[in-house]
């Protein structure tokens, strides 16, 4: 009689979980994890006490700690099965609306041929998969011996990107020819042609006649004069050109300083691409990444707060921001 009565009590203690109960339970688990009440993959006694209290208040059932542990074993088992099947398999997507895995028929066929156990997930839903990733993915990776390097997917840059005019100038070097300098002076004070461009008479052998010698003597001072004029004007234009270059450098420095002051005086604006890249970098799983991305870019304040955290704490901050009650 005693044994029969004990069996009846055990049957009454069995809790049949509903999808709504699972939603409350999984959200509570994520919240307790983000609060630091999970150590070495094990939820603390305080975490279970908090969840028991929360579920009793929300659902109105006399939950006990053992109920939660047993249900978590079932949730973890289902998650591990899906995670092992679909984590590294292309073509599959989990839908938060239908709670189902979806893929093209030929993709399903190929997977089932290799892994027949996958067939049941064509018609079996798994709720809260995005949150279960937060709870069990790292633990499963460790168990499978495939710890993921989150930095292999890409990097992002922080800090301001200032306009470097020196680089622009080096890539677009300013070159002024003598003809350009003449044009700048409206065509006046044209420089004489180079000595090599003078009349061919200078290149011919001199005549031995007195007249030729006398003419040669008359030409020499003229050539010297032309050379002196050419040199003086060249020196003037070189000094002017150097002044222009120095002025450009001063303008470049002023622009750089102005950019620095401007950037310091206004909040940093992060692009959508930077937000997504950072989510990849900190190791947010692909099933949760799109939801987190949409959550952040919907509010510029959330983006600034996210990037304001130290890099190693951004993931935990994001989870707390997403799943903490308002």
């Amino acid at each position: 009689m005693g044994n029969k009565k004990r069996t009846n009590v055990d049957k009454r203690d069995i809790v049949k979980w509903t999808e709504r109960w699972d939603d409350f339970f999984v959200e509570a688990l994520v919240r307790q994890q983000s609060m630091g009440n999970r150590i070495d993959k094990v939820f603390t006694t305080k975490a279970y006490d908090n969840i028991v209290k929360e579920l009793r208040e929300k659902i109105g059932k006399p939950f006990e700690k053992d109920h939660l542990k047993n249900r978590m074993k079932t949730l973890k088992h289902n998650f591990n099965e899906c995670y092992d099947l679909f984590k590294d398999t292309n073509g599959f997507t989990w839908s938060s609306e239908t709670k189902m895995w979806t893929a093209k028929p030929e993709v399903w066929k190929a997977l089932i041929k290799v892994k027949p156990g996958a067939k049941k997930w064509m018609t079996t839903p798994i709720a809260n998969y995005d949150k279960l990733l937060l709870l069990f993915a790292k633990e499963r990776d460790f168990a499978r011996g495939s710890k993921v390097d989150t930095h292999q997917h890409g990097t992002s840059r922080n800090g301001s990107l200032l306009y470097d005019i020196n680089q622009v100038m080096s890539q677009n070097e300013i070159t002024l020819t003598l003809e350009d300098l003449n044009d700048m002076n409206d065509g006046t004070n044209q420089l004489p042609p180079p000595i090599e461009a003078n009349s061919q008479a200078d290149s011919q052998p001199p005549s031995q006649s007195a007249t030729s010698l006398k003419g040669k003597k008359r030409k020499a001072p003229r050539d010297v004069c032309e050379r002196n004029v050419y040199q003086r004007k060249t020196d003037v234009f070189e000094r002017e050109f150097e002044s222009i270059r120095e002025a450009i450098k001063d303008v470049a420095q002023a622009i750089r300083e102005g950019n620095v002051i401007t950037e310091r005086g206004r909040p940093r604006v992060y692009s959508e691409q930077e937000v997504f890249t950072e989510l990849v970098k900190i190791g947010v799983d692909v099933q949760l990444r799109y939801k987190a991305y949409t959550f952040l870019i919907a509010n510029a304040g959330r983006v600034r707060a996210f990037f304001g955290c130290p890099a190693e704490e951004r993931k935990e901050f994001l989870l707390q921001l997403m799943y903490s009650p308002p």
Side-chain angles (χ1 to χ4, degrees):
M1 291 294 292
N3 292 337
K4 185 176 181 180
K5 183 177 180 180
R6 178 63 182 172
T7 302
N8 291 338
V9 171
D10 291 343
K11 287 183 179 180
R12 287 197 301 270
D13 286 343
I14 295 175
V15 175
K16 186 176 181 180
W17 288 78
T18 67
E19 184 175 329
R20 176 170 169 268
W21 292 9
D22 278 341
D23 291 344
F24 287 137
F25 181 39
V26 172
E27 287 179 3
L29 287 170
V30 172
R31 187 159 42 250
Q32 292 302 315
Q33 177 174 276
S34 67
M35 292 170 61
N37 293 331
R38 189 184 189 188
I39 301 174
D40 294 333
K41 307 179 186 66
V42 178
F43 284 93
T44 63
T45 300
K46 180 179 180 181
Y48 281 112
D49 291 341
N50 291 340
I51 296 174
V52 165
K53 181 180 178 181
E54 181 177 340
L55 295 186
R56 286 179 177 179
E57 292 175 353
K58 288 184 176 181
I59 301 174
K61 298 290 183 179
F63 289 100
E64 299 292 343
K65 183 178 178 180
D66 288 340
H67 294 143
L68 307 186
K69 287 187 174 182
N70 290 335
R71 186 56 182 171
M72 187 162 64
K73 289 180 181 177
T74 301
L75 294 175
K76 185 185 292 188
H77 173 80
N78 292 337
F79 169 81
N80 289 345
E81 189 172 337
C82 287
Y83 192 69
D84 293 347
L85 283 171
F86 302 115
K87 176 179 183 291
D88 300 315
T89 306
N90 293 328
F92 287 88
T93 304
W94 179 80
S95 171
S96 59
E97 296 180 359
T98 63
K99 313 295 190 294
M100 303 278 288
W101 288 97
T102 60
K104 294 181 180 179
E106 58 269 25
V107 178
W108 273 112
K109 185 177 180 180
L111 178 62
I112 293 171
K113 186 176 181 179
V114 179
K115 300 178 180 179
K119 185 176 182 179
K120 82 170 189 177
W121 295 107
M122 294 182 70
T123 56
T124 304
I126 176 169
N128 300 299
Y129 186 79
D130 54 340
K131 299 182 181 69
L132 295 177
L133 280 167
L134 302 174
L135 294 170
F136 306 128
K138 285 186 177 181
E139 182 178 350
R140 189 58 179 171
D141 282 332
F142 182 81
R144 295 171 61 191
S146 57
K147 188 176 182 181
V148 178
D149 181 7
T150 59
H151 295 284
Q152 67 184 350
H153 301 290
T155 58
S156 64
R157 295 182 299 169
N158 288 327
S160 301
L161 298 177
L162 301 180
Y163 179 72
D164 191 345
I165 196 168
N166 276 345
Q167 183 179 1
V168 174
M169 290 175 64
S170 65
Q171 293 175 352
N172 301 276
E173 185 177 355
I174 300 173
T175 303
L176 297 180
T177 65
L178 293 176
E179 289 79 3
D180 295 328
L181 293 173
N182 281 331
D183 292 339
M184 291 169 63
N185 286 307
D186 300 326
T188 61
N189 297 326
Q190 292 290 330
L191 295 180
I195 300 302
E196 292 77 9
N198 284 347
S199 170
Q200 293 182 355
D202 292 339
S203 63
Q204 294 178 354
S207 172
Q208 296 299 321
S209 66
T211 304
S212 297
L213 291 173
K214 189 179 292 185
K216 183 72 173 179
K217 290 179 181 178
R218 286 197 300 269
K219 287 182 178 180
R222 180 181 176 184
D223 291 343
V224 172
C225 181
E226 288 178 348
R227 292 191 189 98
N228 291 338
V229 171
Y230 179 82
Q231 186 62 45
R232 285 197 302 272
K233 290 189 176 182
T234 301
D235 292 342
V236 170
F237 284 121
E238 286 181 350
R239 287 195 296 272
E240 291 180 355
F241 181 64
E242 185 63 28
S243 298
I244 293 172
R245 290 175 58 183
E246 291 299 323
I248 291 175
K249 290 182 180 179
D250 291 341
V251 172
Q253 181 63 27
I255 291 175
R256 286 196 302 272
E257 293 175 355
N259 284 343
V260 172
I261 294 172
T262 301
E263 290 296 330
R264 289 174 179 173
R266 64 188 179 191
R268 171 76 161 89
V269 178
Y270 294 91
S271 67
E272 288 83 354
Q273 183 178 2
E274 288 178 298
V275 173
F276 192 86
T277 302
E278 183 64 17
L279 292 175
V280 175
K281 181 179 178 182
I282 64 176
V284 177
D285 194 271
V286 65
Q287 300 297 336
L288 178 64
R289 192 180 302 156
Y290 305 118
K291 184 175 181 179
Y293 169 77
T294 304
F295 174 79
L296 285 174
I297 65 173
N299 187 301
R302 293 174 186 165
V303 175
R304 289 196 298 271
F306 174 70
F307 280 100
C309 286
E312 64 275 10
E313 298 180 15
R314 285 175 185 166
K315 185 174 181 180
E316 291 300 326
F317 173 76
L318 174 62
L319 300 180
Q320 186 171 349
L321 194 65
M322 291 177 63
Y323 295 109
S324 294

